[in-house]
Amino acid sequence: MQADRRRLLKAGFLALSLGAAQLARGANLLAVRIWPAPDYSRVTLESDTALKTTQTFIASPPRLAIDIEGMGLNAALRELVGKVQASDPNIAGIRVGQFNANTVRLVIDLKRPIAPQVFTLPPVAAYAHRLVLDLYPSEAIDPLEQLIQERVMAKAPAAPHGLPSTNAVVNDPLGELIARQTLPGAAPAPSTRRQDLLPPPAVSMDRPDHPARPQLAPGQTDRLIVIALDPGHGGEDPGAIGPGGTREKDVVLKIAKMLRERINASSVGGSPMRAFLTRDADFFVPLHVRVQKARRVQADLFVSIHADAFYSPRPQGASVFALSEGAASSKDAQWIAQKENKADLIGGINLGSQDAQVQRALLDMSTAAQIRDSLQLGGSLLREIGSVGKLHKPRVERAGFAVLKAPDIPSVLVETAFISNPEEEEKLRSDAYQQQLTDALMRGIVQYFSRNPPLARNRSL
Ligand SMILES: [Zn+2]
């Protein structure tokens, strides 16, 4: 089987059958969806029974053909054709046709070389059976390059008006970022500033294949403080939905983008700050990928932003969570962690992909130091959020959130409010409250750094 597959791959195409067990005659398509994003574009076909498909990938010009057995051309499939957006980074177009009496053929024309992942998902939450076509660029997007690009874009329009932040000009954080990029996983650059003249970290974030530290040119000495912001859910996973129809995934993305603006205009102890979003569009990012991305950009902090529903409409107020490797600090905390950890099932990940398994296992090595710092960060955020709104619990709660498992980054999950509470849903929608909340989170982050200078935190790891 493996040899066969290799032979087919060599021939330039890959054919995979999803197996007779999933055969469905006369399956009905219930919905079709496309989620375009630079990371990957996803096409979802939702049906009342599992679809039997055969896929063929043709490298030149790049296109993916999917044959669906037991189905005729129908309105939903035709609708899919019109759903492709011109701005889709990966999909150029979709064609559908009746291949033979019993089979419909879908051809996805691609804009660039793609490594497709085709898999099915059993019914979960509000979804019936799903056939998922994930179209990953063969050359994966590097989060660090993305951060650099954002930096370049941010600097470009500001220059003619003389308005770039002074730190950006003086410290050239871009140079430092590029240095990090050349040595992925390398420890933060050495600095000549007084507060940074500390012994190197006892345990650095070096990886075995990149043991060296970057050598920076004179002048490229300042360290850029990177804050990973993680808007929860996205794409197939709407998160919680308020009684008025507000979707958690939309509200948290808006707040994360507002906070990004604040962070990018700020500095700590003379070092410029930079926000990195684990997603800045409406697509699903698996939980372990969120953590991976934050580690790739060597984030100093990881803040996951949510606005969940509770099992009853009454609870209100914000909560902040840190990781617990053992029991949760309360039943509520455990309930929320279990709910959040289901995101991968609803958002849909390819469990058959070996990479996903390996990467998830790698994250089971959190340290006591990470949790201690996360509790401090959580405390700072909670104090500030408490000054603009109600708190659900007066202290940082703890539970086994998958997304908080970066062993080397203080990580917290903020439930900004309960979207299931009609009043809180209203607040979450209001610009004024979004602004207050963003300001509070910003103050909390700054406060944390004033007590825990970035290198002191690294040193303790
Ligand atoms: Zn959530």
Side-chain angles (χ1 to χ4, degrees):
M1 175 65 193
Q2 198 58 33
D4 281 356
R5 255 178 83 173
R6 223 168 280 139
R7 190 169 49 77
L8 284 168
L9 273 168
K10 268 190 184 158
F13 63 95
L14 167 67
L16 262 184
S17 166
L18 292 173
Q22 290 160 301
L23 177 67
R25 296 259 155 208
N28 292 309
L29 270 191
L30 304 173
V32 292
R33 293 179 288 271
I34 302 181
W35 306 103
D39 286 34
Y40 72 103
S41 292
R42 168 177 286 190
V43 177
T44 307
L45 304 183
E46 192 181 351
S47 54
D48 57 356
T49 51
L51 298 176
K52 189 197 175 188
T53 62
T54 311
Q55 56 153 321
T56 311
F57 181 69
I58 302 109
S60 182
R63 58 199 192 275
L64 179 69
I66 306 283
D67 287 343
I68 308 172
E69 272 186 38
M71 184 175 283
L73 254 189
N74 54 52
L77 277 177
R78 290 184 206 280
E79 190 191 325
L80 188 60
V81 174
K83 283 193 169 177
V84 178
Q85 293 173 18
S87 59
D88 191 313
N90 301 296
I91 303 175
I94 296 182
R95 293 172 277 149
V96 292
Q98 195 74 44
F99 182 62
N100 62 36
N102 195 37
T103 307
V104 92
R105 174 169 284 185
L106 205 74
V107 178
I108 304 175
D109 294 305
L110 302 160
K111 287 182 177 170
R112 50 180 167 178
I114 292 288
Q117 288 195 25
V118 178
F119 55 98
T120 54
L121 296 168
V124 63
Y127 292 125
H129 292 268
R130 284 178 289 173
L131 171 70
V132 177
L133 318 173
D134 280 352
L135 307 164
Y136 286 90
S138 300
E139 208 170 303
I141 301 280
D142 181 344
L144 198 48
E145 255 172 54
Q146 195 185 325
L147 190 61
I148 293 166
Q149 279 305 317
E150 284 171 12
R151 175 80 203 167
V152 172
M153 304 283 275
K155 276 177 98 173
H161 310 287
L163 293 173
S165 96
T166 48
N167 285 323
V169 174
V170 175
N171 298 326
D172 192 8
L174 182 60
E176 203 249 340
L177 264 181
I178 291 166
R180 288 191 194 193
Q181 187 195 27
T182 11
L183 290 167
S191 168
T192 54
R193 289 182 304 118
R194 193 179 56 81
Q195 74 171 79
D196 293 346
L197 292 176
L198 297 165
V203 177
S204 77
M205 290 187 284
D206 291 352
R207 291 173 200 158
D209 52 335
H210 293 290
R213 291 167 67 92
Q215 295 297 312
L216 293 181
Q220 297 179 335
T221 48
D222 255 312
R223 164 136 150 55
L224 190 72
I225 308 298
V226 178
I227 314 293
L229 300 178
D230 176 51
H233 313 279
E236 294 276 281
D237 176 16
I241 298 177
T246 313
R247 298 182 304 186
E248 181 185 2
K249 68 173 181 177
D250 300 327
V251 169
V252 297
L253 181 59
K254 172 108 188 281
I255 292 168
K257 284 181 170 175
M258 289 170 73
L259 185 52
R260 173 168 65 183
E261 295 299 308
R262 292 295 315 271
I263 288 173
N264 288 353
S266 306
S267 60
V268 163
S271 298
M273 295 174 92
R274 209 67 206 151
F276 171 80
L277 262 59
T278 56
R279 74 172 174 98
D280 63 0
D282 188 10
F283 69 104
F284 184 70
V285 183
L287 297 176
H288 72 278
V289 175
R290 296 169 191 260
V291 181
Q292 259 174 29
K293 284 184 168 190
R295 296 189 78 201
R296 175 69 182 126
V297 298
Q298 295 182 26
D300 291 275
L301 301 178
F302 179 92
V303 180
S304 193
I305 304 172
H306 290 257
D308 269 273
F310 213 51
Y311 42 74
S312 70
R314 266 180 306 123
Q316 55 179 343
S319 322
V320 178
F321 298 90
L323 183 67
S324 166
E325 292 181 290
S329 56
S330 72
K331 273 196 172 146
D332 287 2
Q334 188 181 358
W335 189 86
I336 288 174
Q338 276 173 354
K339 193 162 181 290
E340 293 299 354
N341 290 347
K342 275 188 192 158
D344 277 351
L345 295 177
I346 299 164
I349 64 162
N350 185 3
L351 284 170
S353 137
Q354 225 184 354
D355 179 57
Q357 301 289 350
V358 171
Q359 292 302 332
R360 278 147 70 100
L362 277 178
L363 295 178
D364 277 332
M365 47 183 198
S366 289
T367 64
Q370 188 263 37
I371 292 175
R372 187 199 60 214
D373 290 345
S374 301
L375 287 169
Q376 288 191 15
L377 170 63
S380 296
L381 294 173
L382 203 63
R383 262 191 300 281
E384 293 301 327
I385 299 170
S387 71
V388 299
K390 288 183 179 136
L391 295 178
H392 183 58
K393 289 272 170 67
R395 60 171 196 283
V396 180
E397 293 241 62
R398 296 181 57 185
F401 292 90
V403 85
L404 300 182
K405 287 191 170 180
D408 39 18
I409 309 172
S411 303
V412 294
L413 186 144
V414 179
E415 292 285 358
T416 52
F418 287 113
I419 208 167
S420 46
N421 178 313
E423 279 170 38
E424 299 220 328
E425 181 189 23
E426 220 25 67
K427 266 173 81 176
L428 279 167
R429 294 169 74 109
S430 89
D431 288 341
Y433 185 69
Q434 287 173 353
Q435 196 61 59
Q436 283 176 4
L437 193 63
T438 308
D439 290 348
L441 291 170
M442 186 70 222
R443 287 196 303 272
I445 289 169
V446 170
Q447 195 187 102
Y448 169 80
F449 279 126
S450 69
R451 292 174 192 182
N452 306 267
L455 281 192
R457 187 266 300 174
N458 281 341
R459 197 162 53 115
S460 67
L461 280 174

